[in-house]
């Protein structure tokens, strides 16, 4: 019932910027947090940034100072502003919403399909 859809990926030159967006729809009882993850070929999926329902944020060391996560519970959206991009940022970026749906139960992650970000040297 809950759907997560990312957008905004693409090809960018090193040093450039991109902003990713994530829209969450469905019957949502409460948000706990929203997150951005990424996975490069041959690598494990890693957590990039998190924003909690209270507005607290945290970032992976590799992106701290370059990426900014922002969210809006009322609009059920989260953005990832990426600046000073590096080739090593190339990956599929996934949005995950940690929430409780109106169907009840414990909080769980709902995942989007991913959006490709490619940074050329």
């Amino acid at each position: 019932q809950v759907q997560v859809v990312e957008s905004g990926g693409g090809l960018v030159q090193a040093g450039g910027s991109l902003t990713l967006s994530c829209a969450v729809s469905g019957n949502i009882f409460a948000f706990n947090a929203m997150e951005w993850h990424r996975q490069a070929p041959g690598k494990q999926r890693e957590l990039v940034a998190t924003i909690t329902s209270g507005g607290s944020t945290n970032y992976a060391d590799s992106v701290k100072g370059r990426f900014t996560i922002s969210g809006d519970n009322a609009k059920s959206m989260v953005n990832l502003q990426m600046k000073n991009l590096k080739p090593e940022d190339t990956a599929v970026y996934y949005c995950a919403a940690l929430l409780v749906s109106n169907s009840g139960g414990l909080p769980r992650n709902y995942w989007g399909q991913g959006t490709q970000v490619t940074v050329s040297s």
Side-chain angles (χ1 to χ4, degrees):
Q1 190 172 2
V2 176
Q3 295 186 112
V4 180
V5 180
E6 305 98 333
S7 62
L11 175 64
V12 66
Q13 295 180 1
S17 301
L18 279 176
T19 297
L20 307 182
S21 297
C22 174
V24 183
S25 62
N27 294 322
I28 300 166
F29 178 75
F31 281 97
N32 286 62
M34 298 185 73
E35 303 174 338
W36 285 97
H37 301 244
R38 68 185 182 186
Q39 186 168 21
K43 301 291 183 63
Q44 296 292 106
R45 188 173 298 187
E46 65 173 338
L47 177 64
V48 174
T50 300
I51 183 166
T52 70
S53 60
S56 298
T57 60
N58 66 278
Y59 301 89
D61 288 342
S62 59
V63 307
K64 190 172 297 184
R66 300 188 297 119
F67 290 13
T68 302
I69 187 171
S70 60
D72 187 335
N73 283 352
K75 296 183 178 181
S76 299
M77 295 187 67
V78 63
N79 294 328
L80 185 69
Q81 300 176 8
M82 305 184 294
K83 299 181 178 179
N84 301 317
L85 284 161
K86 304 175 180 179
E88 52 263 43
D89 295 319
T90 296
V92 177
Y93 284 71
Y94 298 90
C95 178
L98 178 61
L99 57 84
V100 178
S101 74
N102 282 334
S103 65
L106 296 174
R108 58 151 287 186
N109 272 354
Y110 292 83
W111 292 88
Q113 81 287 353
T115 185
Q116 176 72 46
V117 173
T118 302
V119 184
S120 62
S121 60

Short mmCIF file of all heavy atoms in Angstrom, two decimals, residues 64-103:
data_model
loop_
_atom_site.label_atom_id
_atom_site.label_comp_id
_atom_site.label_asym_id
_atom_site.label_seq_id
_atom_site.Cartn_x
_atom_site.Cartn_y
_atom_site.Cartn_z
N LYS A 64 29.67 13.92 4.06
CA LYS A 64 29.44 15.00 5.01
C LYS A 64 30.06 16.30 4.48
O LYS A 64 31.20 16.32 4.05
CB LYS A 64 30.00 14.64 6.37
CG LYS A 64 29.61 15.60 7.49
CD LYS A 64 30.05 15.07 8.86
CE LYS A 64 29.35 13.77 9.19
NZ LYS A 64 29.70 13.28 10.56
N GLY A 65 29.27 17.36 4.53
CA GLY A 65 29.72 18.65 4.03
C GLY A 65 29.40 18.88 2.57
O GLY A 65 29.51 20.02 2.10
N ARG A 66 29.03 17.82 1.85
CA ARG A 66 28.69 17.94 0.44
C ARG A 66 27.23 17.66 0.16
O ARG A 66 26.65 18.25 -0.76
CB ARG A 66 29.55 16.99 -0.40
CG ARG A 66 31.05 17.25 -0.29
CD ARG A 66 31.83 16.40 -1.29
NE ARG A 66 31.68 14.97 -1.03
CZ ARG A 66 31.15 14.11 -1.89
NH1 ARG A 66 30.72 14.52 -3.08
NH2 ARG A 66 31.06 12.82 -1.58
N PHE A 67 26.63 16.76 0.93
CA PHE A 67 25.23 16.35 0.73
C PHE A 67 24.38 16.91 1.85
O PHE A 67 24.83 17.01 3.00
CB PHE A 67 25.09 14.83 0.73
CG PHE A 67 25.68 14.13 -0.46
CD1 PHE A 67 26.53 14.77 -1.35
CD2 PHE A 67 25.39 12.79 -0.68
CE1 PHE A 67 27.07 14.10 -2.44
CE2 PHE A 67 25.92 12.11 -1.76
CZ PHE A 67 26.77 12.76 -2.64
N THR A 68 23.13 17.24 1.53
CA THR A 68 22.18 17.71 2.52
C THR A 68 20.86 16.98 2.32
O THR A 68 20.31 16.97 1.22
CB THR A 68 21.94 19.22 2.40
OG1 THR A 68 23.19 19.92 2.56
CG2 THR A 68 20.97 19.69 3.48
N ILE A 69 20.35 16.38 3.40
CA ILE A 69 19.06 15.71 3.35
C ILE A 69 18.02 16.61 4.01
O ILE A 69 18.30 17.24 5.04
CB ILE A 69 19.11 14.33 4.02
CG1 ILE A 69 17.80 13.57 3.81
CG2 ILE A 69 19.46 14.43 5.50
CD1 ILE A 69 17.86 12.11 4.25
N SER A 70 16.85 16.67 3.43
CA SER A 70 15.76 17.43 4.00
C SER A 70 14.46 16.66 3.79
O SER A 70 14.32 15.92 2.80
CB SER A 70 15.66 18.83 3.38
OG SER A 70 15.46 18.76 1.98
N GLY A 71 13.53 16.83 4.70
CA GLY A 71 12.28 16.09 4.62
C GLY A 71 11.10 16.93 5.04
O GLY A 71 11.24 17.97 5.70
N ASP A 72 9.93 16.46 4.65
CA ASP A 72 8.68 17.12 4.97
C ASP A 72 7.64 16.04 5.21
O ASP A 72 7.14 15.44 4.26
CB ASP A 72 8.26 18.05 3.84
CG ASP A 72 7.04 18.89 4.18
OD1 ASP A 72 6.24 18.49 5.03
OD2 ASP A 72 6.89 19.98 3.59
N ASN A 73 7.32 15.78 6.47
CA ASN A 73 6.35 14.74 6.79
C ASN A 73 4.97 15.04 6.22
O ASN A 73 4.27 14.12 5.78
CB ASN A 73 6.25 14.56 8.31
CG ASN A 73 7.41 13.79 8.89
OD1 ASN A 73 8.25 13.25 8.18
ND2 ASN A 73 7.44 13.73 10.22
N ALA A 74 4.58 16.31 6.23
CA ALA A 74 3.26 16.67 5.72
C ALA A 74 3.13 16.35 4.25
O ALA A 74 2.05 15.94 3.79
CB ALA A 74 3.00 18.15 5.98
N LYS A 75 4.22 16.54 3.50
CA LYS A 75 4.20 16.26 2.07
C LYS A 75 4.72 14.87 1.74
O LYS A 75 4.71 14.47 0.58
CB LYS A 75 5.01 17.31 1.32
CG LYS A 75 4.43 18.72 1.42
CD LYS A 75 5.24 19.70 0.59
CE LYS A 75 4.62 21.09 0.64
NZ LYS A 75 5.39 22.06 -0.18
N SER A 76 5.20 14.15 2.75
CA SER A 76 5.73 12.80 2.58
C SER A 76 6.81 12.77 1.51
O SER A 76 6.80 11.93 0.61
CB SER A 76 4.60 11.82 2.24
OG SER A 76 3.65 11.77 3.28
N MET A 77 7.75 13.70 1.62
CA MET A 77 8.84 13.79 0.66
C MET A 77 10.17 13.99 1.36
O MET A 77 10.24 14.51 2.47
CB MET A 77 8.61 14.96 -0.30
CG MET A 77 7.41 14.83 -1.19
SD MET A 77 7.33 16.14 -2.43
CE MET A 77 8.75 15.73 -3.44
N VAL A 78 11.22 13.57 0.70
CA VAL A 78 12.58 13.80 1.17
C VAL A 78 13.46 14.11 -0.03
O VAL A 78 13.27 13.53 -1.11
CB VAL A 78 13.12 12.59 1.97
CG1 VAL A 78 13.22 11.35 1.09
CG2 VAL A 78 14.46 12.91 2.61
N ASN A 79 14.39 15.03 0.14
CA ASN A 79 15.32 15.40 -0.91
C ASN A 79 16.75 15.14 -0.47
O ASN A 79 17.06 15.12 0.73
CB ASN A 79 15.19 16.88 -1.27
CG ASN A 79 13.86 17.22 -1.90
OD1 ASN A 79 13.25 16.41 -2.60
ND2 ASN A 79 13.38 18.44 -1.66
N LEU A 80 17.61 14.93 -1.43
CA LEU A 80 19.04 14.83 -1.18
C LEU A 80 19.74 15.78 -2.13
O LEU A 80 19.80 15.53 -3.34
CB LEU A 80 19.54 13.40 -1.38
CG LEU A 80 21.01 13.18 -1.04
CD1 LEU A 80 21.24 13.31 0.48
CD2 LEU A 80 21.48 11.81 -1.52
N GLN A 81 20.25 16.87 -1.59
CA GLN A 81 21.01 17.84 -2.37
C GLN A 81 22.47 17.42 -2.36
O GLN A 81 23.07 17.32 -1.29
CB GLN A 81 20.85 19.25 -1.80
CG GLN A 81 19.42 19.75 -1.78
CD GLN A 81 19.28 21.11 -1.12
OE1 GLN A 81 20.26 21.75 -0.78
NE2 GLN A 81 18.05 21.55 -0.93
N MET A 82 23.02 17.19 -3.53
CA MET A 82 24.38 16.70 -3.67
C MET A 82 25.20 17.75 -4.40
O MET A 82 24.87 18.15 -5.52
CB MET A 82 24.40 15.38 -4.44
CG MET A 82 23.51 14.30 -3.83
SD MET A 82 23.64 12.71 -4.70
CE MET A 82 22.95 13.16 -6.29
N LYS A 83 26.28 18.19 -3.77
CA LYS A 83 27.17 19.18 -4.34
C LYS A 83 28.59 18.63 -4.37
O LYS A 83 28.93 17.70 -3.65
CB LYS A 83 27.12 20.48 -3.54
CG LYS A 83 25.75 21.14 -3.52
CD LYS A 83 25.77 22.44 -2.73
CE LYS A 83 24.41 23.11 -2.75
NZ LYS A 83 24.41 24.38 -1.97
N ASN A 84 29.42 19.26 -5.20
CA ASN A 84 30.82 18.85 -5.33
C ASN A 84 30.94 17.35 -5.55
O ASN A 84 31.71 16.66 -4.89
CB ASN A 84 31.62 19.28 -4.10
CG ASN A 84 31.60 20.78 -3.87
OD1 ASN A 84 31.74 21.55 -4.81
ND2 ASN A 84 31.43 21.18 -2.62
N LEU A 85 30.18 16.86 -6.49
CA LEU A 85 30.12 15.42 -6.74
C LEU A 85 31.46 14.89 -7.24
O LEU A 85 32.19 15.57 -7.97
CB LEU A 85 29.02 15.10 -7.73
CG LEU A 85 27.61 15.14 -7.12
CD1 LEU A 85 26.56 15.28 -8.21
CD2 LEU A 85 27.36 13.89 -6.29
N LYS A 86 31.76 13.67 -6.83
CA LYS A 86 32.98 12.99 -7.20
C LYS A 86 32.65 11.70 -7.95
O LYS A 86 31.57 11.15 -7.77
CB LYS A 86 33.79 12.65 -5.94
CG LYS A 86 34.11 13.83 -5.06
CD LYS A 86 34.80 13.39 -3.78
CE LYS A 86 35.12 14.56 -2.88
NZ LYS A 86 35.79 14.12 -1.61
N PRO A 87 33.57 11.21 -8.77
CA PRO A 87 33.31 9.95 -9.47
C PRO A 87 32.93 8.81 -8.53
O PRO A 87 32.12 7.95 -8.90
CB PRO A 87 34.62 9.67 -10.21
CG PRO A 87 35.19 11.02 -10.46
CD PRO A 87 34.83 11.83 -9.24
N GLU A 88 33.50 8.78 -7.34
CA GLU A 88 33.17 7.73 -6.39
C GLU A 88 31.76 7.82 -5.83
O GLU A 88 31.30 6.92 -5.13
CB GLU A 88 34.19 7.68 -5.24
CG GLU A 88 34.39 9.02 -4.55
CD GLU A 88 35.62 9.75 -5.07
OE1 GLU A 88 35.84 9.77 -6.29
OE2 GLU A 88 36.37 10.30 -4.23
N ASP A 89 31.04 8.91 -6.14
CA ASP A 89 29.64 9.01 -5.77
C ASP A 89 28.74 8.26 -6.74
O ASP A 89 27.53 8.15 -6.50
CB ASP A 89 29.20 10.48 -5.71
CG ASP A 89 29.89 11.26 -4.61
OD1 ASP A 89 30.05 10.72 -3.50
OD2 ASP A 89 30.26 12.42 -4.87
N THR A 90 29.29 7.78 -7.84
CA THR A 90 28.51 7.05 -8.83
C THR A 90 27.90 5.81 -8.20
O THR A 90 28.61 4.97 -7.62
CB THR A 90 29.38 6.66 -10.03
OG1 THR A 90 29.82 7.85 -10.70
CG2 THR A 90 28.59 5.80 -11.01
N ALA A 91 26.59 5.68 -8.30
CA ALA A 91 25.88 4.56 -7.69
C ALA A 91 24.40 4.68 -8.04
O ALA A 91 23.95 5.70 -8.56
CB ALA A 91 26.05 4.56 -6.17
N VAL A 92 23.67 3.62 -7.72
CA VAL A 92 22.22 3.70 -7.71
C VAL A 92 21.81 4.17 -6.32
O VAL A 92 22.22 3.59 -5.31
CB VAL A 92 21.56 2.35 -8.03
CG1 VAL A 92 20.03 2.47 -7.93
CG2 VAL A 92 21.97 1.88 -9.42
N TYR A 93 21.04 5.22 -6.27
CA TYR A 93 20.61 5.80 -5.01
C TYR A 93 19.18 5.37 -4.71
O TYR A 93 18.30 5.48 -5.57
CB TYR A 93 20.70 7.33 -5.06
CG TYR A 93 22.12 7.83 -4.92
CD1 TYR A 93 23.03 7.65 -5.96
CD2 TYR A 93 22.56 8.45 -3.75
CE1 TYR A 93 24.34 8.08 -5.83
CE2 TYR A 93 23.86 8.88 -3.62
CZ TYR A 93 24.75 8.70 -4.67
OH TYR A 93 26.05 9.14 -4.54
N TYR A 94 18.96 4.89 -3.49
CA TYR A 94 17.67 4.38 -3.07
C TYR A 94 17.13 5.19 -1.90
O TYR A 94 17.87 5.53 -0.98
CB TYR A 94 17.78 2.92 -2.61
CG TYR A 94 18.21 1.96 -3.68
CD1 TYR A 94 19.56 1.69 -3.89
CD2 TYR A 94 17.27 1.31 -4.47
CE1 TYR A 94 19.96 0.79 -4.87
CE2 TYR A 94 17.66 0.41 -5.45
CZ TYR A 94 19.01 0.16 -5.64
OH TYR A 94 19.40 -0.74 -6.61
N CYS A 95 15.87 5.48 -1.95
CA CYS A 95 15.17 6.12 -0.84
C CYS A 95 14.47 5.05 -0.01
O CYS A 95 13.90 4.11 -0.56
CB CYS A 95 14.15 7.12 -1.37
SG CYS A 95 13.17 7.96 -0.11
N ALA A 96 14.54 5.19 1.30
CA ALA A 96 13.85 4.29 2.21
C ALA A 96 13.09 5.09 3.24
O ALA A 96 13.66 5.99 3.86
CB ALA A 96 14.83 3.34 2.89
N ALA A 97 11.83 4.76 3.41
CA ALA A 97 10.99 5.40 4.41
C ALA A 97 10.76 4.43 5.55
O ALA A 97 10.22 3.34 5.33
CB ALA A 97 9.67 5.86 3.81
N LEU A 98 11.19 4.80 6.74
CA LEU A 98 10.94 4.00 7.93
C LEU A 98 9.67 4.53 8.57
O LEU A 98 9.66 5.65 9.09
CB LEU A 98 12.12 4.09 8.90
CG LEU A 98 11.98 3.34 10.22
CD1 LEU A 98 11.81 1.85 9.98
CD2 LEU A 98 13.19 3.60 11.11
N LEU A 99 8.61 3.74 8.52
CA LEU A 99 7.31 4.24 8.95
C LEU A 99 6.40 3.12 9.40
O LEU A 99 6.69 1.94 9.20
CB LEU A 99 6.65 5.05 7.82
CG LEU A 99 6.44 4.34 6.48
CD1 LEU A 99 5.16 3.51 6.47
CD2 LEU A 99 6.39 5.38 5.35
N VAL A 100 5.30 3.54 10.00
CA VAL A 100 4.21 2.63 10.35
C VAL A 100 3.03 2.99 9.46
O VAL A 100 2.58 4.14 9.45
CB VAL A 100 3.81 2.76 11.83
CG1 VAL A 100 2.64 1.84 12.15
CG2 VAL A 100 5.00 2.46 12.74
N SER A 101 2.52 2.04 8.71
CA SER A 101 1.37 2.28 7.86
C SER A 101 0.09 2.16 8.67
O SER A 101 0.09 1.71 9.82
CB SER A 101 1.34 1.30 6.69
OG SER A 101 0.97 0.01 7.13
N ASN A 102 -1.02 2.56 8.05
CA ASN A 102 -2.31 2.46 8.73
C ASN A 102 -2.76 1.02 8.93
O ASN A 102 -3.72 0.78 9.67
CB ASN A 102 -3.37 3.24 7.96
CG ASN A 102 -3.29 4.73 8.20
OD1 ASN A 102 -2.80 5.17 9.24
ND2 ASN A 102 -3.77 5.51 7.25
N SER A 103 -2.10 0.07 8.29
CA SER A 103 -2.41 -1.33 8.52
C SER A 103 -1.89 -1.82 9.85
O SER A 103 -2.22 -2.93 10.29
CB SER A 103 -1.86 -2.20 7.39
OG SER A 103 -0.44 -2.15 7.36
#
